[in-house]
Amino acid sequence: EALGHSFFTLSVGMGAMLWDASGGGTPRLIGWSFDAGMFRAPGWSDENNLLWVPGTLWGTGSDNADLLFQRREGKWVDIDITSWKAALEERLPPELSVWKGVRYYFDGMEAETSLWREDRDANCCPTGGTAIIRFRIEGDALVIDAVQAQLDGPGAEWKDF
């Protein structure tokens, strides 16, 4: 398949445009964003027909600006990658939270994040452990399949939530 991408540097960040040139003729726009502080090279999963561009926003929060598209029956669907976060908060113990962006691994349909303790952590220094979130795509959105967390530091047991 002939997929293309263009990155644009702006005075306050970066932009990305994704093109599909697989049908011959004029390439078709898949999607775009100019919201990131930084985008990295796109990725592709043959297994799920997923195209993604990892991206982060400016600032200390390292919030996500990632783009995710799925090819279905010759068309590209923009997949919502933010609505699952409310469901995560409901699954975690009440004293734990995700304060910053997550690291997506779309080829494996999962994400990894640090966990912050609401009552004592500073923004810089999470002490609540690490969580792995596994996803599936339902309609046009990521949905949580499973959550595992290692709450007591490296080497501790992983727990299901």
Side-chain angles (χ1 to χ4, degrees):
E1 296 207 25
L3 300 174
H5 64 278
S6 301
F7 292 116
F8 299 92
T9 302
L10 307 172
S11 61
V12 293
M14 281 187 88
M17 297 177 74
L18 299 168
W19 301 94
D20 183 346
S22 63
T26 304
R28 293 176 306 164
L29 182 65
I30 297 169
W32 57 273
S33 175
F34 292 94
D35 293 336
M38 181 180 71
F39 281 116
R40 289 179 298 286
W44 170 259
S45 168
D46 283 324
E47 182 179 339
N48 296 312
N49 291 320
L50 295 176
L51 173 65
W52 66 89
V53 180
T56 53
L57 299 176
W58 286 115
T60 60
S62 299
D63 284 325
N64 296 98
D66 304 74
L67 304 173
L68 179 62
F69 299 91
Q70 186 175 45
R71 189 172 177 113
R72 297 182 194 157
E73 299 174 9
K75 296 183 181 184
W76 291 98
V77 177
D78 187 359
I79 304 298
D80 170 12
I81 61 171
T82 60
S83 59
W84 64 267
K85 292 180 180 182
L88 177 63
E89 294 296 323
E90 294 173 11
R91 292 175 88 143
L92 292 173
E95 70 275 7
L96 296 175
S97 220
V98 175
W99 291 2
K100 298 186 179 196
V102 301
R103 170 166 265 153
Y104 285 110
Y105 300 98
F106 291 120
D107 53 345
M109 293 298 288
E110 62 184 27
E112 180 179 5
T113 183
S114 296
L115 298 171
W116 280 258
R117 296 186 186 275
E118 294 280 344
D119 60 343
R120 65 175 175 228
D121 286 348
N123 189 42
C124 67
C125 311
T127 65
T130 301
I132 303 290
I133 304 109
R134 289 184 179 77
F135 302 106
R136 69 181 183 280
I137 295 175
E138 200 169 278
D140 64 351
L142 287 183
V143 176
I144 296 175
D145 258 347
V147 178
Q148 290 187 314
Q150 191 178 43
L151 304 180
D152 299 317
E157 182 181 339
W158 286 88
K159 297 178 183 177
D160 294 326
F161 290 94

